[in-house]
Amino acid sequence: MRAETQNIVAEIEKSLELLAQRMDYETAPHRLEEFNARVEDPNLWDDPEAAQKLMRQRQMLVDAMDTYTSIKTDMSDNVELIELGEMEEDDEVVSDAEEALKALRTKAAEKELEALLDGEADGNDTFLEINSGAGGTESCDWASMLARMYVRWAEKKGYKVELQSESAGEEAGIKSAAYKISGHNAYGWLKSESGVHRLVRISPFDSAAKRHTSFSSVWVYPVVDDNIEIEVNPADIRVDTYRSSGAGGQHVNTTDSAVRITHMPTGIVVTSSEKSQHQNRDIAMKALKSRLYQQELDRRNAAINEAHEAKGDAGWGNQIRSYVLQPYQMVKDLRTNHETSDTKGVLDGDLDGFMAATLAMDVAGKSRAEAQAD
């Protein structure tokens, strides 16, 4: 076996070792038996929320075990094919198996990064807020492009996306939008997206076809489990009902049922504009508790705190990522220096490379300055 191929196998084995450690592979079969026994309990669904949580935990373990077994089996099979091909001097078999190992190395590295999503709230669903910043109509259009980008990314991941509220721009795009994105590790992946996103392009709204720079901010915070106690003093909140604004359509409610809750001590404002006022109040309170929980996580997690403090206003000097469409094509993350010229792919939701780079930086314990220096 060639030295290069041996190195690829060694990298896959290293990823497998980490995957095994993260899920405690030695005890995994026993824990799965316990999950299966509890799932067969006829009283399980007396508490639907507890049952759903149990089913999610079981599925996470099953997925982790299947991933580990699949990668290990594929690696062994291809190593055997290479050895057999070398014995029989069949270069085609050897070449095909080596290419398969390269692809497997990429898959193993991705799963290794996923396994590092073990923060307190990483496995939770998430709220995603987008707000237009400096740039007027151009900024509102950029905010709608970001919303489309994240919805596309979530759909590719198989996540469920629910629009919580939306405020249309005066001429085009959106002033703001809030989504709930549900799926395994939704918050863990998206948390690195909090910050200001900068767009440079020829504005379609400028008759002189001049290049414009616009900004929008993204805010990500986890959906908290109901068993996490977040106390909200009723005296600290103001609840307003209003007629939802916007151009109408299936996602925008135009009755007086929309609800806005303001948390006076922190200045946090959350909204919901579904059809039922009772439902809106419930959704908004959950969102408020999630925001307060996020603040607590920020205080306890220096890395997340640094990222949110760096977010700042949606304008010059605060951006975490630049999307340049003119005079050249480039998307670059200013924290990790990860970049790509495939701007169309990124705007269509191909964000995993950026998220993985930030996650790897966080796991390595590097600051933004250190990462840029590297």
Side-chain angles (χ1 to χ4, degrees):
M1 191 184 300
R2 294 190 303 137
E4 181 187 355
T5 305
Q6 290 176 341
N7 289 336
I8 292 173
V9 171
E11 289 180 41
I12 296 172
E13 288 176 336
K14 209 176 269 187
S15 294
L16 283 170
E17 184 179 348
L18 176 68
L19 290 172
Q21 289 175 353
R22 289 284 169 173
M23 69 168 152
D24 192 2
Y25 189 74
E26 290 184 1
T27 67
H30 175 66
R31 283 183 285 129
L32 182 57
E33 287 180 6
E34 290 181 343
F35 276 129
N36 290 337
R38 293 172 66 185
V39 167
E40 292 174 3
D41 183 351
N43 299 320
L44 173 66
W45 290 96
D46 290 348
D47 185 344
E49 291 182 359
Q52 289 174 0
K53 183 176 181 180
L54 174 67
M55 296 299 288
R56 283 197 302 269
Q57 291 174 335
R58 178 189 177 280
Q59 192 58 48
M60 286 167 56
L61 179 59
V62 169
D63 290 345
M65 293 174 67
D66 288 349
T67 296
Y68 176 86
T69 302
S70 172
I71 293 174
K72 188 172 184 179
T73 301
D74 288 349
M75 181 187 70
S76 298
D77 290 347
N78 283 293
V79 168
E80 288 179 12
L81 279 174
I82 290 173
E83 293 172 347
L84 183 62
E86 288 176 340
M87 286 176 57
E88 298 181 353
E89 299 183 350
D90 190 332
D91 293 339
E92 185 176 352
V93 168
V94 172
S95 178
D96 288 346
E98 286 178 340
E99 289 301 314
L101 280 176
K102 289 178 183 178
L104 189 61
R105 174 180 59 183
T106 301
K107 176 183 176 181
E110 291 173 352
K111 295 301 180 181
E112 179 182 340
L113 277 170
E114 264 186 47
L116 294 172
L117 292 170
D118 60 353
E120 184 175 0
D122 282 352
N124 290 27
D125 300 338
T126 189
F127 290 111
L128 171 75
E129 291 184 3
I130 300 168
N131 294 281
S132 62
T137 299
E138 179 74 13
S139 176
C140 289
D141 190 53
W142 173 222
S144 68
M145 291 169 65
L146 283 173
R148 175 184 178 276
M149 180 181 77
Y150 287 116
V151 169
R152 287 287 183 91
W153 173 84
E155 289 173 346
K156 289 178 181 179
K157 284 283 189 182
Y159 291 161
K160 180 182 178 183
V161 180
E162 300 172 78
L163 181 66
Q164 303 287 297
S165 63
E166 184 179 86
S167 176
E170 292 180 4
E171 296 181 31
I174 57 173
K175 292 180 181 177
S176 64
Y179 295 88
K180 179 182 178 183
I181 299 176
S182 305
H184 178 49
N185 285 335
Y187 173 70
W189 281 114
L190 278 167
K191 66 183 180 183
S192 65
E193 295 299 295
S194 282
V196 176
H197 297 246
R198 169 177 172 253
L199 173 70
V200 180
R201 67 170 178 175
I202 300 295
S203 173
F205 307 101
D206 186 343
S207 58
K210 292 183 179 179
R211 193 164 69 244
H212 284 244
T213 298
S214 51
F215 303 88
S216 289
S217 65
V218 174
W219 181 261
V220 178
Y221 48 98
V223 176
V224 298
D225 295 330
D226 288 339
N227 60 353
I228 298 176
E229 292 296 330
I230 305 293
E231 292 188 12
V232 178
N233 187 341
D236 289 340
I237 63 174
R238 185 179 72 245
V239 180
D240 301 308
T241 59
Y242 63 100
R243 181 178 295 273
S244 178
S245 63
Q250 69 181 88
H251 291 308
V252 182
N253 180 37
T254 56
T255 69
D256 290 321
S257 65
V259 169
R260 178 191 296 113
I261 296 180
T262 304
H263 187 248
M264 267 87 78
T266 61
I268 292 174
V269 179
V270 292
T271 61
S272 181
S273 53
E274 297 293 329
K275 293 182 179 179
S276 162
Q277 190 173 122
H278 177 75
Q279 181 185 21
N280 284 330
R281 186 184 177 95
D282 183 55
I283 291 172
M285 280 301 296
K286 286 183 177 179
L288 174 60
K289 288 182 177 181
S290 293
R291 289 285 293 270
L292 293 172
Y293 180 58
Q294 176 68 47
Q295 285 194 344
E296 178 61 24
L297 285 180
D298 286 350
R299 283 190 286 270
R300 290 155 51 186
N301 187 321
I304 295 178
N305 191 39
E306 179 186 355
H308 286 302
E309 286 178 351
K311 178 172 171 283
D313 295 328
W316 286 103
N318 295 312
Q319 62 266 21
I320 62 167
R321 190 176 301 150
S322 289
Y323 305 71
V324 181
L325 306 185
Q326 290 288 342
Y328 54 88
Q329 302 274 315
M330 181 67 67
V331 180
K332 181 174 182 177
D333 194 288
L334 305 180
R335 300 162 297 181
T336 64
N337 283 335
H338 182 80
E339 62 183 40
T340 179
S341 59
D342 183 16
T343 56
K344 184 178 185 301
V346 171
L347 293 173
D348 275 337
D350 292 340
L351 295 168
D352 283 359
F354 290 95
M355 295 177 181
T358 307
L359 176 62
M361 181 186 76
D362 290 343
V363 169
K366 293 183 180 180
S367 68
R368 177 173 173 171
E370 289 170 336
Q372 289 176 332
D374 289 345

